[in-house]
Amino acid sequence: MKYCYLLTLFVFFGCSKEYTILESIDGLILSSNETTRIINQTTTLRLVKNNGEDVTDATTFYVNGVAIPANTFTKSEVGIYLVEAKYTGVAAENTVEVTYHDGSLIAFKSNVMVEDYTGVWCGNCPRVVVALEQASQQLGANEDQLIKVAIHRSSSNPTDASYDPYNFDASAFEPNGGYPKAYINRKTRWTPLEYNNLGMVVTQTQINKRLGLKLKTETINNVIKLTVDGLFSTNFNQLSLVVYQLESGFVYDQINYTTFYNGEDIIQNFVHDHVLRNILTNSNGDAISNSTTGTEFSREFSIPVNTITNTQNAEFVAFIIDNAGNVLNARAIKVNQTQNYQFL
């Protein structure tokens, strides 16, 4: 019995010296920041386990079968490049194809911006709000392609009959004429009565564009950081970027001469949305230095949180104009969101 006991201990401890606990690798997911790139743009790769653990730094990535030294790469020739990845010798569950091209084949969705010059004192102005709502309904699932900007006028003096608590000085770019007046992409007057001419707005969303925008907002230490990126797929000249800061949810009585809203003379506690509060660039735009095919630009803006009444109602609109002031494309975003380009 004693001998058997010693033999059992020997077998037990002998096995333990050679026993190694291997890491369990349960699914590896490969991704890239973009799958369509213009030649000489950088592609960034990432590898994540099913449990969410990021193992990018310990991963070897391969492009067309050749290992690359980091998790980024660029290509100067047009083509489709196959990306693979291995972590501790285990291959990712998927591969990724990244297409590099010269930029001339890219098209973007068209977003239409309507600037509604209005006022709480303006009795006919509610009709434009209604028309914008109807245009949104026509667009349905694509209503985010309609960007609304309410530019309140005319006086900041509480004793004036035309007092508006949200009055914004738009004299640098406001067209002449009375109120209400709504402009499509800054230069085209939306023909009154606007609700009878919804096609003027809706059809603008059905045009393929050769420049696109993507925005990102994040809150860092009581400051909202806004990043505006733009990409061109043909040659442009003399373009400028304009960025608006808007806010919704302002409650203030609205004078009403229309039959809308039950024909009430004063619409009490009317909610004013998309109200222009600040322009983060020059009102007529900051020049974009290079807008040739395949060029991408990036601008950053910092907005203190304490300058906004309610960050949940804040909104930022970026748009690119030509040298005549026409809006070529636009994009809107709320706080703490990230967008991609609207490729077609």
Side-chain angles (χ1 to χ4, degrees):
M1 288 294 293
K2 185 176 182 181
Y3 172 78
C4 293
Y5 176 76
L6 291 174
L7 179 60
T8 301
L9 287 176
F10 173 78
V11 173
F12 177 78
F13 285 111
C15 291
S16 68
K17 291 179 181 178
E18 298 177 0
Y19 185 76
T20 303
I21 299 176
L22 298 175
E23 178 185 8
S24 175
I25 301 175
D26 182 20
L28 297 167
I29 303 170
L30 170 64
S31 63
S32 66
N33 62 326
E34 300 281 356
T35 56
T36 301
R37 306 299 280 157
I38 296 174
I39 52 176
N40 298 319
Q41 285 187 329
T42 299
T43 298
T44 302
L45 306 172
R46 187 171 181 239
L47 193 71
V48 178
K49 293 183 181 180
N50 275 339
N51 64 8
E53 181 185 356
D54 191 322
V55 293
T56 300
D57 292 341
T59 298
T60 301
F61 296 95
Y62 302 82
V63 178
N64 285 355
V66 178
I68 58 177
N71 69 315
T72 61
F73 72 95
T74 62
K75 292 295 178 181
S76 59
E77 295 182 1
V78 172
I80 299 175
Y81 295 86
L82 178 66
V83 180
E84 302 168 280
K86 287 184 178 179
Y87 169 69
T88 64
V90 178
E93 291 183 352
N94 63 307
T95 59
V96 171
E97 287 187 345
V98 179
T99 301
Y100 272 85
H101 56 92
D102 63 4
S104 61
L105 301 179
I106 292 179
F108 303 88
K109 282 186 177 181
S110 174
N111 300 316
V112 56
M113 184 178 74
V114 176
E115 292 170 299
D116 172 22
Y117 292 88
T118 185
V120 301
W121 49 270
C122 173
N124 286 312
C125 287
R127 75 168 193 244
V128 179
V129 177
V130 171
L132 286 167
E133 291 174 351
Q134 292 175 345
S136 291
Q137 291 171 4
Q138 282 208 9
L139 288 169
N142 298 316
E143 67 171 330
D144 63 332
Q145 289 180 251
L146 171 57
I147 298 172
K148 307 169 185 175
V149 178
I151 303 176
H152 281 244
R153 305 294 281 132
S154 128
S155 173
S156 299
N157 185 346
T159 64
D160 290 346
S162 59
Y163 168 67
D164 192 307
Y166 317 115
N167 177 48
F168 189 91
D169 182 6
S171 56
F173 57 90
E174 179 181 354
N176 293 326
Y179 303 93
K181 55 187 174 189
Y183 276 78
I184 302 167
N185 289 334
R186 259 213 176 175
K187 288 296 180 178
T188 302
R189 175 75 184 267
W190 193 0
T191 305
L193 300 168
E194 295 79 7
Y195 49 82
N196 289 329
N197 298 290
L198 299 180
M200 292 182 67
V201 171
V202 174
T203 56
Q204 289 298 311
T205 66
Q206 300 166 7
I207 304 169
N208 294 352
K209 292 299 181 75
R210 303 305 299 274
L211 61 86
L213 290 160
K214 66 176 181 179
L215 313 181
K216 179 180 180 180
T217 52
E218 53 186 334
T219 305
I220 305 172
N221 297 328
N222 293 317
V223 172
I224 297 171
K225 177 183 175 183
L226 167 66
T227 304
V228 179
D229 293 323
L231 178 62
F232 306 99
S233 61
T234 192
N235 293 328
F236 291 93
N237 291 307
Q238 296 181 312
L239 300 187
S240 298
L241 172 69
V242 184
V243 179
Y244 283 167
Q245 177 182 330
L246 314 180
E247 194 167 346
S248 294
F250 291 120
V251 178
Y252 200 89
D253 291 352
Q254 172 70 50
I255 302 296
N256 181 34
Y257 301 155
T258 76
T259 59
F260 299 111
Y261 303 98
N262 298 318
E264 298 175 5
D265 293 338
I266 299 177
I267 309 170
Q268 296 184 349
N269 299 319
F270 189 82
V271 180
H272 300 271
D273 291 330
H274 316 292
V275 178
L276 178 59
R277 305 299 289 161
N278 193 17
I279 301 179
L280 304 179
T281 58
N282 183 286
S283 58
N284 286 304
D286 292 346
I288 298 172
S289 59
N290 188 357
S291 53
T292 56
T293 302
T295 301
E296 189 172 20
F297 76 89
S298 185
R299 303 282 171 84
E300 290 186 356
F301 303 88
S302 296
I303 304 95
V305 169
N306 61 12
T307 64
I308 300 172
T309 307
N310 185 340
T311 56
Q312 292 183 345
N313 292 333
E315 183 181 4
F316 301 94
V317 172
F319 56 97
I320 295 176
I321 58 176
D322 62 18
N323 60 355
N326 299 291
V327 175
L328 302 183
N329 215 345
R331 202 80 189 268
I333 194 171
K334 293 185 178 180
V335 175
N336 296 327
Q337 293 184 344
T338 300
Q339 298 173 339
N340 295 317
Y341 287 119
Q342 294 172 303
F343 293 119
L344 292 174

